[in-house]
Amino acid sequence: MTINEWDERADDWDTNLSTSVYADKAYNELTQAVRLNDQRVFDFGCGTGLLTERLSSGVKEIVALDSSPKMIERLKQKTLPNVFPIANFLTRSVVENNTLLRQKFDLITASSVCAFLPDYEGTLSLLRSLMMPNGVYVQWDWLSTSENTEDGFTERRVKQALTDTGFKNISISQPFEMGVAPDILTVLMAVAK
């Protein structure tokens, strides 16, 4: 998807029942996997901040980045006091030139964003460089049964990419599904340190 396509979806994103249900389910799974007190969080690919909003009351601060300026505008309208939105792509240059990204993070979340990346492994490497030594990375994407698709990931691909970029203690699950039969999609969740 292009930035313009994400910008076009920004106005209706929060009122779409499926996006809110997805965020609720991802948040519930996250709270079972990670302790969320006094942490510094990076919400990568945050969109309008549905997950960011759910996290904000239980953590120290959140830096929320999305490449869609309109999605970030929607997040800013929520005026969450401990959330610092950034409208940009995640690149080494952005990390080096943005003071919010120079401090390491206890938790990095990537909800339904990695399958859209042109360089998944390269981005994982950059995300890992932003983590505290005992930090946790959590990713949700659509589960795919084929390596040759742009709609999601196989468990094998995610595990290999995380391993290759130096993550440890990797666990991969299929915590929930979305949709209505026969169009049910399974969500893949990866947790790594």
Side-chain angles (χ1 to χ4, degrees), residues 89-108:
F89 289 95
L90 182 66
T91 64
R92 183 127 345 254
S93 175
V94 168
V95 170
E96 291 169 357
N97 293 308
N98 190 308
T99 57
L100 290 170
L101 295 172
R102 284 194 216 137
Q103 297 176 18
K104 303 289 184 187
F105 295 93
D106 303 297
L107 173 65
I108 296 178

Side-chain angles (χ1 to χ4, degrees), residues 2-18:
T2 66
I3 293 175
N4 287 341
E5 289 176 81
W6 288 116
D7 280 350
E8 290 170 7
R9 294 173 176 221
D11 288 340
D12 299 324
W13 196 257
D14 287 1
T15 58
N16 181 327
L17 180 61
S18 65

